[in-house]
Amino acid sequence: CTRLWVAQKAKTKVQFGRFVRFALVGAAGFLVDVAALYSAFAIGLGLYSGRAASYLSAATFTWAVNRRFTFAAKTPPTIIEWLRYVFANTSGGLVNYLTYVALVTWGSGLLSHPALAVACGSIAGLVVNYIASARLVFGESDEKDAQPN
């Protein structure tokens, strides 16, 4: 019983550390996202098309950093892995984008501050994206989670 408890505690610690790293990468991705959004505005894209472009920019950045920093991927990066990452994070991305759309469309005052709507969308999609990335892209399993780094 004690052995099981120790194994569960180690698994929880590893998972929590990985989630914190994922969230930190997401925070950096937020900065990329906002910079790309305002760059898209500068070249004439609107609130919605600009957001789609900025999301892809941020997704590419977070894939590259998460594969190394969060999940310590040992294999070289491939376009197939990037596509799996973007596809796996579609649910979180949809939650992210719909939150943004709802806030800039109906949120009082957020139309003039789209960065706040991006932040809300990013937080809303975080957990969904973490689970999808860990399980579907980087192949994390319960057995791996139980082994401390």
Side-chain angles (χ1 to χ4, degrees):
C1 186
T2 302
R3 207 171 166 176
L4 181 60
W5 179 80
V6 169
Q8 184 61 38
K9 186 171 178 159
K11 176 183 172 182
T12 301
K13 183 178 178 183
V14 169
Q15 288 173 334
F16 181 73
R18 194 176 298 126
F19 181 77
V20 168
R21 288 190 302 274
F22 190 84
L24 290 171
V25 172
F30 166 74
L31 298 175
V32 170
D33 205 339
V34 171
L37 179 64
Y38 283 88
S39 296
F41 293 161
I43 64 168
L45 295 179
L47 285 170
Y48 306 108
S49 58
R51 181 65 181 105
S54 74
Y55 175 77
L56 284 175
S57 298
T60 300
F61 171 82
T62 58
W63 162 72
V65 180
N66 273 321
R67 77 176 315 279
R68 177 86 172 135
F69 179 64
T70 304
F71 299 103
K74 305 288 187 224
T75 59
T78 65
I79 190 71
I80 298 300
E81 184 185 76
W82 178 83
L83 287 169
R84 269 198 340 256
Y85 183 83
V86 171
F87 181 74
N89 285 277
T90 299
S91 295
L94 187 59
V95 168
N96 182 328
Y97 186 72
L98 291 176
T99 300
Y100 169 84
V101 167
L103 291 174
V104 299
T105 303
W106 299 294
S108 92
L110 286 178
L111 186 57
S112 59
H113 301 288
L116 294 175
V118 171
C120 292
S122 296
I123 292 166
L126 175 66
V127 173
V128 174
N129 286 342
Y130 173 75
I131 292 168
S133 294
R135 302 293 180 206
L136 302 175
V137 180
F138 298 108
E140 296 298 316
S141 67
D142 289 340
E143 291 79 31
K144 280 185 183 176
D145 289 341
Q147 299 171 4
N149 290 336

